[in-house]
Amino acid sequence: MAKLIKNGTVVTAADQYQADVLIENGIISQIGLNLEVESAEIIDAQGFYVFPGGVDPHTHLDMPFGGTVTADNFETGTKAAAYGGTTTIIDFCLTNKGVPLSESVQTWHNKAEGKAVIDYSFHLMIAEINDEVLAELPKMIHDEGITSLKVFMAYKNVFQADDGTLYRTLLEAKRHGALVMVHAENGDVIDYLIKEALDAGNTEPIYHALTRPSLIEGEATGRAAKLTALANSQLYVVHVTCEEAVQQIAEARNQGVDVWGETCPQYLMLDQTYLEKPDFEGAKYVWSPPLRPQEHQDALWTALKNGQLQTLGSDHCSFNFKGQKELGLGDFSKIPNGGPCIEDRFSILFSEGVLKGRITLNQFVDIVSTRSAKLFGLFPKKGTIAVGCDADIVIFDPNAVRVISRDTHHMNVDYNPFEGLEITGEPVTVLSRGEYVIQNKQFVGTPGIGQFVKRKTYPSASHQVKPKQDTVAQRGATHV
C-alpha cells in the first residue's frame, strides 16, 4: 500500500523544505506540496523532521572477540538500530589467515540471514595478502558488492597486519575500486606497553587507556595516510579519538591525499576518567582506541564542523558487564573491547551537535547518513530523500526529551555507557524501503526482512555529488 507523509519538514544534507513525500513499492515516487493520492495511507508528520534513514558505517554484530561473542546479534542489534533511526548498517566480516575470503563472507551471511530487520552490508577484513587472497578479491568487490576492505594496525597476534599487507591492500584497492579502512594504532608499541604495565602489577581498566596513548594513534594515522599517498589510493580511518589523528588526516587531505575520517559518539561524549570508576566498573568503558582526556572532545567536534572528519559510526560492539567484561578482572588486557552505541548514535548527534550549535541541521544529515552512503557505494539508493531512492525514512520529533538508560534501551546488553544523559530529539516512526519498522515508537518490523545490499565501487559511488533537488522544485516544495 502506498504511503503519503504529509506536513513534515524534509531535511537532507543539502536542503530543508516543507513537502509531502509519496512512497510506492518501497521507493520515493513523488515529493511536493499538497499531494493527494486517494489510496495512500496518510502519515502525519506535522511538527516533525523527515530525515533519510541513518547509515551506520561501523558495527560488530555476532562477532567473536576475546574468548566471547558480542551480546547483540543481527536481530537484536538491527532492532536497536531501527529504534535509534538507523536503517542501514555496514558490519565487519572478520577473516582468518589461510581461510578463503568467500568462506568468511558466507559465515557473515549466515549470521544475518533471517534475523536483520533493516538493510545491511559488509566490510571485509584483510589479514594477509597472498596469491589466494589476490585471486579472490576481484570477486568479493565486483560480484559480492563488498567494496570496502579493513586492515587492523593493532591487536598484535590477533588481527594486526604488517605495513606491507596494508600497502599491498591499498594497491589492490586502487586497482579494483575499493575503499581501504584502517584501525589506526601502533600495535607493536601497545603490546610492549601492556606487558610493561602488567609486569608492574598495574591491572585496572584505566591502564587500557594509559597503554594506548593518543600519540600512538596519531603516529599510525599518519603512517597509513603516507602509505595511501604512496599507493595513490584511498583511505578511511575508523573511530578517530584524538587531536593528533585529526591533525594527520587534515594534513594529508590538505596535500591532496584521498583520506576520510570517522569518529564515534563515545569519543564525543565520554572521557578517560570513566575508566577510573571503582569496583571494576571502568571496564564498561573499554574501547580501542580508548577514551581520551576531555580536551580531545573539542578537537573532534571542531573536525566534524569543519569537515576534517566526515562520518559518525557507532562502533557498536556490545559485551555485558556481567560475565563478559568481567573476563578482564585482574588483567585489563583481557577485557573485551567495545560498547553498545548503535541505538543512541543518531539522537546524540542531533541533541549534542545540532541543538548545541556545534553543527548545522544539514551537516547532521550528512554526518549521520549521507556521507557514509556516498563513501561506501550506497548513494543515492540510501542516504537521501529524493525521487527514485529507497524509502528509508525517519520521522523525528525534535522536541521530545528523554533520558538514556539501560532500563529503556533495546540493545541486548546490561548497561548503557550514556546512562543518565538527557537528550532532546527522538525517532517516532522509521521506515525501511517503505515498510514500518518502528511505528509510533513501537517495533512492528519482521526479523529477516532486512536485505543484504551490494555496493558500488569507490570510483563509481559519486561520493562527491550532491543529490538532485530539481524534482522537489518542480513540484512546488517550499524551502525554509
Side-chain angles (χ1 to χ4, degrees), residues 12-13 52 55 365-375 379 383-384 467:
T12 70
V55 176
V365 174
D366 195 43
I367 293 166
V368 85
S369 179
T370 309
R371 186 58 50 179
S372 291
K374 290 180 176 180
L375 287 172
F379 186 85
T384 193

Side-chain angles (χ1 to χ4, degrees), residues 129-361:
I129 288 286
N130 54 35
D131 289 344
E132 290 75 21
V133 171
L134 291 174
E136 277 200 282
L137 270 180
K139 179 181 179 182
M140 295 296 105
I141 295 166
H142 299 293
D143 297 342
E144 297 292 333
I146 300 175
T147 57
S148 43
L149 309 174
K150 171 77 174 288
V151 177
F152 284 89
M153 302 173 76
Y155 299 116
K156 188 175 178 65
N157 300 320
V158 182
F159 297 142
Q160 183 178 334
D162 59 25
D163 285 353
T165 297
L166 173 57
Y167 182 65
R168 292 186 68 187
T169 301
L170 286 162
L171 291 174
E172 291 303 307
K174 180 67 176 179
R175 184 173 294 118
H176 295 291
L179 179 59
V180 177
M181 314 170 78
V182 289
H183 175 136
E185 291 184 288
N186 189 317
D188 292 323
V189 176
I190 289 168
D191 186 61
Y192 175 83
L193 293 176
I194 288 173
K195 290 176 181 176
E196 186 178 53
L198 292 174
D199 287 345
N202 297 319
T203 63
E204 294 301 308
I206 184 59
Y207 287 95
H208 174 77
L210 298 179
T211 57
R212 305 177 92 100
S214 58
L215 281 172
I216 283 178
E217 183 183 344
E219 182 277 328
T221 303
R223 180 159 36 103
K226 288 177 174 61
L227 291 174
T228 302
L230 184 64
N232 189 27
S233 192
Q234 47 273 345
L235 183 74
Y236 179 97
V237 184
V238 301
H239 50 42
V240 173
T241 75
C242 63
E243 186 173 9
E244 292 92 336
V246 168
Q247 289 172 345
Q248 292 293 332
I249 291 169
E251 179 181 329
R253 288 173 64 82
N254 288 340
Q255 293 173 355
V257 183
D258 195 357
V259 56
W260 306 84
E262 162 201 286
T263 191
C264 307
Q266 57 269 33
Y267 303 121
L268 297 173
M269 299 301 301
L270 309 175
D271 63 54
Q272 184 174 295
T273 61
Y274 282 77
L275 282 89
E276 298 174 342
K277 286 180 176 286
D279 301 323
F280 196 65
E281 194 176 349
K284 294 178 179 178
Y285 306 94
V286 167
W287 282 274
S288 289
L291 299 178
R292 302 298 185 191
Q294 191 170 15
E295 58 265 24
H296 290 275
Q297 293 176 5
D298 289 339
L300 297 178
W301 280 113
T302 299
L304 285 175
K305 175 72 173 179
N306 65 22
Q308 291 170 337
L309 296 177
Q310 298 82 27
T311 66
L312 189 76
S314 68
D315 193 11
H316 181 79
C317 191
S318 60
F319 297 100
N320 286 306
F321 180 58
K322 297 293 184 181
Q324 291 190 300
K325 290 286 189 176
E326 288 177 335
L327 292 171
L329 275 168
D331 183 347
F332 69 87
S333 69
K334 295 180 180 177
I335 300 169
N337 289 199
C341 297
I342 201 168
E343 186 169 351
D344 299 310
R345 178 187 73 107
F346 196 101
S347 293
I348 284 177
L349 186 64
F350 178 84
S351 185
E352 294 289 324
V354 177
L355 296 187
K356 292 191 175 180
R358 289 164 162 149
I359 57 174
T360 68
L361 193 58

